[in-house]
Amino acid sequence: MAKRQSFADKASKKKHEVICPVCNQAVQYTLVVAPEPVSGGKSFKMRSRNVGICKCNEKSVLA
Ligand SMILES: [Zn+2]
């Protein structure tokens, strides 16, 4: 059975804005490049990913 999207879901997707349920602030997506262990853990490769940043984690992500 398919889940029906609520109107609020559709509206938030249209605006491309995510509100953090914890701090109630808009989440900003930022490309963060960080080393990631390769299988075996003996070497690393640089990997970029989009990270959502809000008041909850901005210090740990941007430090
Ligand atoms: Zn937050």
Side-chain angles (χ1 to χ4, degrees), residues 1 8 10 12 24 34 38 46 51 58-59:
M1 202 190 299
K10 283 181 187 170
S12 65
N24 221 29
V38 178
M46 298 307 285
V51 179
E58 63 180 357
K59 286 195 178 107

Side-chain angles (χ1 to χ4, degrees), residues 4-25:
R4 268 200 296 171
Q5 279 188 311
S6 71
F7 180 77
D9 283 344
K10 283 181 187 170
S12 65
K13 272 184 185 142
K14 203 172 184 181
K15 280 168 65 187
H16 289 287
E17 189 172 80
V18 180
I19 303 296
C20 173
V22 179
C23 65
N24 221 29
Q25 298 287 313

Side-chain angles (χ1 to χ4, degrees), residues 20-25 27 53-57:
C20 173
V22 179
C23 65
N24 221 29
Q25 298 287 313
V27 177
I53 298 173
C54 65
K55 294 278 179 200
C56 302
N57 67 354

Side-chain angles (χ1 to χ4, degrees), residues 33-55:
V33 180
E36 182 171 278
V38 178
S39 58
K42 288 178 182 169
S43 61
F44 292 84
K45 63 177 177 179
M46 298 307 285
R47 185 190 167 97
S48 61
R49 62 199 171 99
N50 263 315
V51 179
I53 298 173
C54 65
K55 294 278 179 200

